[in-house]
């Protein structure tokens, strides 16, 4: 009997509840099926027959300045899609819609955290992007250059990205929550010429300065930066924003005065569109490379079909931050390529009240909501009264992304947010895949809460065992066995690391780092990461990076970091720390270390729990026993520990882990 067949269990407790949650199925609601873009399997059949022809047909839905002849050149692991074609991403996201008469359609309903709002049509967005593109050119940015962007969630952020795409410069967006050091490292790796930032942004009612961080990043490195363009977002609320003479320029002083036309560059389909840095198992973040034609093809296709987008009537809201790949693909490029109307929100869900999201949905009559399980679990904790005060009846499709969504949260989302009438599409993908790979289609797929269901048309996802043999039913490693148009083209400046990281574990297969299982109906269930990468609030945080940040503190001798299950954030960062001799262990010191990590990497990497220990458990060869630490952190039974150098460490770790309560 397979492990996922729970029907034999006699347990009357949690197992049964689990069983019920897992086995409940949700066929597509009639209200969605009538009028849905996809209600039969023809797209899957088409893609199964010839996946290259399938993607080529999707690519032809874009506007090409020069059509492609070549569809796929596959020199494993290096792919080139539509390589001899020429196009421009900003042209496809803006000009062609305006030329088609859609200039007055709203591209973004922007809402700032303090309550300010802006409505931006496609025609207005095209003008602003063209002006910004001309401003970048006036600063010497040329086709092939890199531009770093470090901004809050304001409309100037997508404008800056599209302006880069227009003139053929690659952008590297660095999430506004990252520290000055993280910004500096990313600028240096990309050798960016210009940095676009803001005086700051709003978060939970407080102004958060960004320019000061940018200055810190530039004060000890990042020498490639010639100019800094600064958006005035906080204005008088900003702590004195200093502007370096000759280097720094205010956005409002150089952008609005530019000519309103800027001819788009005809880019090769394989030209670099952007870099986005993501954590891996080593301390150095990887610059994931995404190119032009294939990327836009797959983000446009998936955005349209996964959310059953009807751009004339839908109001779409992806509540991620543009600083992550979700925002790149599903706030900026996918929705704009599809001429969608989106909501963009700057701040936190609890400002000024815990009903902020629901008031936004009610006000803009949002029809499609895309967010992360960590947000859903937070709302569950806050209680349903905040939703009940608002009319959410405009919603028709709900999406989830970033980590496995537990069935309990899925059902809550379906019931309380979706009013039991909206399909919940659980979408699996990664920074590296560029676009959604595994997901239901709202008008077709029967849903199981907690399952991302099936690979999308044109995608080959397979679960394999340790030996790389395909698993038809049961657990294993999730792999991708064919190239796909939006796939990463490599790690910036490091092709060997690209090959080693993604293509060496299973020959001929991309290994994504995730465990998964296939159930008796062929549904895929994601089981979390199998490598040393944590998933905190839907974001990847490398254990090694946090360890490096801790050891960087003058009092720390050694550190080992693991992820432990956390009811709200999915996983929490747990750090085991050995201090240098003579340093006093106290709560204040733990707080100092937490602050240190936040300042080195960003608040997302801040350890929830720090466990001070005299020694770390090691194998005879000196390797830290991470499995054991994970078990300690999870409060589970420790099992066999005989390879330990010092048995007493285990006992000590166990006591400390249970005696120290989790902190916020
Ligand atoms: C990792 C990728 C994809 C954009 C946001 C995160 C986890 C993502 C799901 C899902 C289970 C998921 C995986 C993946 N993940 N979506 N629907 N179900 N796990 O992008 O930072 O590159 O992280 O997020 O572990 O490998 P990312």
């Amino acid at each position: 009997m397979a492990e996922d067949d729970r029907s034999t269990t006699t347990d009357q407790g949690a197992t049964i509840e689990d069983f019920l949650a897992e086995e409940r199925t949700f066929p597509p609601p009639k209200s969605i099926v009538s009028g849905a873009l996809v209600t039969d399997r023809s797209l899957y059949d088409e893609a199964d027959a010839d996946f290259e022809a399938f993607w080529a047909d999707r690519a032809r839905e874009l506007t090409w300045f020069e059509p492609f002849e070549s569809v796929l050149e596959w020199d494993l692991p290096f792919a080139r899609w539509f390589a001899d074609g020429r196009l421009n991403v900003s042209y496809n996201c803006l000009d062609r819609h305006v030329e088609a008469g859609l200039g007055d359609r709203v591209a973004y309903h922007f809402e700032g955290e303090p309550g300010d709002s802006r409505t931006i049509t496609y025609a207005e967005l095209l003008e602003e992007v063209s002006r910004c593109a001309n401003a970048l050119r006036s600063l010497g940015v040329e086709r092939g250059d890199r531009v770093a962007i470090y901004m809050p969630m304001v409309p100037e952020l997508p404008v800056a990205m599209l302006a880069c795409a227009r003139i053929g410069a690659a952008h590297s967006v660095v999430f506004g929550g990252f520290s000055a050091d993280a910004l500096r490292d990313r600028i240096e790796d990309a050798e960016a010429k210009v940095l676009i930032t803001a005086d700051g942004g709003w978060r939970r009612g407080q102004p958060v300065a960004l320019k000061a961080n940018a200055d810190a990043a530039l004060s000890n490195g990042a020498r490639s930066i010639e100019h800094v363009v600064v958006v005035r977002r906080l204005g008088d609320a900003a702590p004195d924003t200093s502007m370096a003479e000759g280097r720094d320029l205010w956005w409002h002083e150089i952008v609005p005065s530019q000519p309103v036309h800027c001819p788009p560059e005809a880019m090769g389909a394989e030209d670099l569109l952007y870099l986005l840095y993501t954590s891996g198992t080593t301390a150095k973040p990887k610059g994931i490379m995404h190119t032009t034609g294939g990327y836009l093809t797959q983000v446009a296709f998936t955005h349209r079909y996964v959310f059953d987008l009807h751009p004339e009537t839908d109001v779409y809201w992806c509540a991620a931050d543009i600083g992550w790949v979700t925002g790149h693909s599903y706030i900026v490029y996918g929705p704009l390529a599809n001429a969608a109307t989106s909501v963009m929100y700057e701040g936190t869900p609890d400002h000024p009240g815990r009903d902020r999201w629901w008031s936004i949905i009610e006000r803009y009559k949002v029809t499609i909501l895309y967010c992360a399980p960590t947000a859903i679990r937070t709302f569950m904790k806050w209680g349903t009264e905040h939703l009940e005060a608002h009319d959410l009846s405009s919603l028709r499709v709900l999406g989830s992304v970033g980590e496995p969504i537990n069935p309990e949260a899925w059902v809550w989302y379906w019931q309380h947010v979706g009013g039991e009438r909206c399909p919940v599409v659980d979408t699996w993908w990664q920074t590296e895949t560029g676009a959604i790979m595994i997901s239901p289609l709202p008008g077709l797929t029967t849903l199981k809460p907690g399952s991302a269901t099936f690979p999308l048309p044109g995608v080959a996802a397979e679960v394999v065992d340790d030996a790389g043999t395909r698993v038809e039913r049961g657990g294993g490693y999730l792999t991708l066995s064919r190239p796909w148009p939006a796939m990463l083209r490599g790690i910036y400046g490091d092709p060997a690391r690209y090959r080693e990281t993604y293509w060496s574990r299973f020959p001929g297969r991309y290994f994504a780092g995730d465990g998964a299982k296939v159930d008796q109906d062929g549904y895929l269930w994601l089981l979390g990461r199998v490598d040393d990468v944590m998933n905190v609030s839907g974001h990847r945080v490398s254990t090694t990076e946090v360890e490096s940040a801790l050891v960087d503190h003058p009092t720390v001798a050694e550190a080992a970091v693991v992820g432990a299950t956390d009811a709200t954030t999915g996983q929490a960062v747990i750090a085991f720390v050995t201090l240098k001799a003579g340093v006093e262990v106290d709560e204040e010191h733990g707080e100092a270390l937490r602050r240190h990590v936040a300042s080195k990497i960003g608040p997302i990497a801040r350890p929830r729990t720090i466990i001070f220990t005299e020694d770390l458990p090691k194998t005879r060869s000196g390797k830290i026993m991470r499995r054991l630490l994970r078990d300690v952190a999870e409060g589970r039974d420790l099992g066999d520990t005989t390879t330990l150098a010092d048995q007493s460490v285990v006992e000590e770790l166990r006591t400390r882990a249970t005696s120290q309560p989790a902190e916020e």
Side-chain angles (χ1 to χ4, degrees):
M1 186 107 326
E3 55 136 87
D4 55 11
D5 189 344
R6 307 255 178 93
S7 57
T8 53
T9 184
T10 53
D11 190 331
Q12 297 298 303
T15 317
I16 294 281
E17 273 167 41
D18 231 31
F19 159 70
L20 281 178
E22 283 195 14
E23 290 304 311
R24 277 174 80 176
T25 56
F26 295 76
K30 284 204 186 62
S31 55
I32 294 289
V33 176
S34 65
L37 296 175
V38 174
T39 52
D40 64 30
R41 300 199 43 85
S42 53
L43 277 178
Y44 293 90
D45 295 341
E46 201 188 311
D48 287 345
D50 184 344
F51 85 102
E52 292 187 32
F54 169 82
W55 284 120
D57 284 345
R58 306 285 85 78
R60 287 189 195 99
E61 290 166 17
L62 302 173
T63 301
W64 294 77
F65 296 148
E66 265 176 53
F68 56 88
E69 293 282 327
S70 161
V71 175
L72 171 63
E73 294 163 34
W74 181 222
D75 178 12
L76 195 148
F78 297 99
R80 291 166 60 79
W81 285 87
F82 320 122
D84 57 351
R86 293 195 166 269
L87 76 167
N88 183 281
V89 166
S90 91
Y91 179 87
N92 273 280
C93 289
L94 303 169
D95 307 57
R96 70 169 172 150
H97 305 321
V98 175
E99 287 166 17
L102 302 177
D104 291 337
R105 181 178 291 173
V106 173
Y108 292 114
H109 292 289
F110 168 74
E111 185 158 310
E113 200 193 67
D116 56 320
S117 64
R118 272 172 75 185
T119 300
I120 304 161
T121 65
Y122 274 89
E124 289 163 348
L125 192 59
L126 172 58
E127 287 189 8
E128 179 95 355
V129 167
S130 301
R131 289 199 161 103
C132 179
N134 284 326
L136 290 175
R137 277 206 177 122
S138 77
L139 297 178
V141 177
E142 291 169 14
R143 185 174 171 144
D145 286 341
R146 273 85 49 220
V147 172
I149 302 178
Y150 182 60
M151 277 171 82
M153 281 280 287
V154 292
E156 286 82 358
L157 171 51
V159 167
M161 294 161 75
L162 291 158
C164 290
R166 198 163 187 88
I167 62 175
H171 55 70
S172 165
V173 178
V174 180
F175 173 56
F178 278 136
S179 67
D181 284 0
L183 175 62
R184 183 203 54 216
D185 293 348
R186 284 156 178 76
I187 289 173
E188 289 184 348
D189 189 77
E191 295 176 282
K193 206 179 209 179
V194 164
L195 169 64
I196 308 178
T197 185
D199 53 359
W202 292 97
R203 217 175 150 70
R204 217 160 261 136
Q206 297 300 316
V208 178
L210 275 183
K211 177 61 164 58
N213 278 0
D215 287 341
L218 299 187
S219 70
N220 62 354
R223 303 267 173 259
S224 58
I225 296 290
E226 294 169 11
H227 289 288
V228 182
V229 179
V230 188
V231 172
R232 195 171 146 92
R233 167 66 184 145
L234 294 176
D236 293 339
D240 309 323
T241 302
S242 70
M243 299 289 279
E245 180 87 37
R247 186 195 72 182
D248 301 354
L249 303 138
W250 286 106
W251 173 292
H252 61 262
E253 286 176 1
I254 64 155
V255 174
S257 55
Q258 295 290 327
V260 72
H261 292 289
C262 176
E265 288 278 333
M267 303 303 291
E270 282 298 338
D271 283 338
L272 190 63
L273 178 64
Y274 67 79
L275 296 175
L276 186 58
Y277 287 81
T278 190
S279 294
T281 52
T282 69
K284 188 174 160 20
K286 303 173 286 204
I288 301 300
M289 296 161 67
H290 283 295
T291 59
T292 302
Y295 174 79
L296 196 63
T297 297
Q298 196 178 338
V299 296
F301 169 74
T302 51
H303 179 253
R304 189 152 169 239
Y305 287 95
V306 166
F307 300 109
D308 187 45
L309 180 78
H310 292 68
E312 318 75 38
T313 47
D314 274 320
V315 178
Y316 162 85
W317 182 20
C318 168
D321 191 290
I322 291 176
W324 309 108
V325 75
T326 308
H328 281 59
S329 298
Y330 298 106
I331 298 179
V332 183
Y333 294 117
L336 295 176
N338 289 328
T341 294
S342 296
V343 167
M344 178 178 170
Y345 171 57
E346 178 186 24
T348 52
D350 53 354
H351 188 83
R354 289 177 165 181
D355 65 342
R356 184 64 183 264
W357 277 29
W358 320 122
S359 91
I360 290 175
I361 290 171
E362 180 173 26
R363 209 145 6 95
Y364 297 101
K365 301 202 172 8
V366 172
T367 59
I368 304 169
L369 175 66
Y370 191 29
C371 68
T374 180
I376 299 163
R377 287 190 299 263
T378 301
F379 295 133
M380 284 172 76
K381 214 162 60 181
W382 288 349
T384 53
E385 67 266 27
H386 306 291
L387 300 108
E388 283 154 7
H390 295 278
D391 177 7
L392 306 182
S393 63
S394 54
L395 287 171
R396 52 178 213 93
V397 176
L398 303 176
S400 166
V401 62
E403 57 181 308
I405 176 164
N406 38 311
E408 193 193 353
W410 192 104
V411 171
W412 189 92
Y413 194 26
W414 176 81
Q415 192 175 6
H416 294 289
V417 180
E420 306 190 0
R421 59 171 197 280
C422 309
V424 175
V425 291
D426 175 9
T427 63
W428 178 88
W429 58 297
Q430 305 180 293
T431 304
E432 292 88 341
T433 69
I436 299 170
M437 302 294 278
I438 302 175
S439 170
L441 296 181
L444 178 70
T445 315
T446 292
L447 307 169
K448 294 188 184 185
S451 168
T453 73
F454 306 104
L456 287 174
V459 169
E462 293 177 351
V463 175
V464 300
D465 63 16
D466 266 314
T469 311
R470 187 165 180 191
V471 172
E472 300 286 342
R473 178 160 173 202
Y477 304 93
L478 180 65
T479 67
L480 301 166
S481 54
R482 262 189 340 224
W484 62 100
M487 67 189 281
L488 76 165
R489 297 306 195 262
I491 297 173
Y492 193 63
D494 202 345
R497 189 177 176 199
Y498 166 63
R499 192 188 285 275
E500 165 63 26
T501 306
Y502 301 106
W503 299 90
S504 65
R505 177 72 176 81
F506 302 105
R509 292 173 183 274
Y510 170 90
F511 173 49
D514 285 325
K517 70 174 186 181
V518 194
D519 76 7
Q520 65 278 14
D521 302 319
Y523 281 65
L524 288 165
W525 300 78
L526 274 299
L527 301 175
R529 302 196 58 90
V530 301
D531 53 23
D532 288 333
V533 177
M534 300 167 285
N535 189 324
V536 183
S537 298
H539 299 300
R540 270 154 69 177
V541 179
S542 151
T543 52
T544 322
E545 261 182 288
V546 180
E547 285 166 5
S548 307
L550 283 164
V551 176
D552 177 76
H553 193 274
T555 62
V556 174
E558 200 171 28
V561 166
V562 296
T565 311
D566 182 276
T568 304
T569 59
Q571 279 194 307
V573 180
I574 312 295
F576 296 86
V577 173
T578 306
L579 294 172
K580 288 180 183 156
V583 183
E584 233 178 273
V585 170
D586 58 21
E587 194 39 52
E588 242 161 70
H589 199 68
E591 186 45 36
L593 294 184
R594 273 191 279 271
R595 263 203 312 273
H596 186 69
V597 173
S599 81
K600 294 300 286 183
I601 305 175
I604 191 129
R606 191 184 161 89
R608 185 195 71 186
T609 309
I610 292 189
I611 299 168
F612 292 108
T613 169
E614 302 261 294
D615 203 357
L616 289 167
K618 289 185 188 147
T619 60
R620 278 171 225 280
S621 66
K623 258 185 131 202
I624 291 177
M625 298 179 71
R626 295 176 168 285
R627 185 183 60 81
L628 175 74
L629 292 178
R630 261 193 295 267
D631 287 350
V632 170
E634 296 281 11
R636 281 204 303 262
D637 191 32
L638 293 176
D640 183 282
T641 55
T642 46
T643 48
L644 268 185
D646 179 1
Q647 181 67 36
S648 64
V649 172
V650 182
E651 286 313 316
E652 203 206 11
L653 284 176
R654 196 213 297 261
T655 357
R656 277 172 193 265
T658 43
S659 65
Q660 183 171 347
E663 289 163 49
E664 271 307 299

